[in-house]
Amino acid sequence: MPLLSEFFGIKIYIYWDDHVPPHFHAEYNGHQVLVDIEENVVIKGVLPANKLKLVLGWAELHHNELVDCWNKAKLNQMPTRIEPLH
């Protein structure tokens, strides 16, 4: 599962053989969410509200890159890293 980005203690991953819809995993302090890339909404899981706001804002900024990473992962190609929030 490639690490796409990491910021403010949050780690963002895409799994190689994951299910549709296209999504990524965000982890923080033992919590995890799955976020739909196209709709930018939580599919499953819970993060603290302030961290979820950061994740969704980051995902909105990097939508096209996330789509590209999903497509690469589906082809078993290494997705590129995505710029973290600063």
Side-chain angles (χ1 to χ4, degrees):
M1 75 182 154
L3 177 67
L4 300 182
S5 193
E6 186 173 3
F7 50 90
F8 303 112
I10 302 164
K11 294 182 179 183
I12 308 291
Y13 298 96
I14 282 187
Y15 293 6
W16 294 110
D17 290 324
D18 222 341
H19 57 84
V20 292
H23 64 279
F24 63 89
H25 298 247
E27 296 179 358
Y28 174 79
N29 200 26
H31 301 279
Q32 182 177 353
V33 291
L34 279 64
V35 177
D36 182 300
I37 293 172
E38 289 302 321
E39 301 296 324
N40 200 27
V41 296
V42 173
I43 299 170
K44 182 179 178 182
V46 175
L47 284 181
N50 61 334
K51 300 302 182 187
L52 180 59
K53 185 175 181 178
L54 292 173
V55 167
L56 295 178
W58 173 86
E60 186 175 327
L61 290 171
H62 297 286
H63 175 263
N64 291 339
E65 292 162 279
L66 285 164
V67 169
D68 183 57
C69 287
W70 174 267
N71 290 333
K72 284 182 177 179
K74 292 288 107 191
L75 297 172
N76 290 321
Q77 298 174 357
M78 181 60 80
T80 55
R81 293 285 300 234
I82 300 176
E83 185 74 23
L85 290 176
H86 298 282

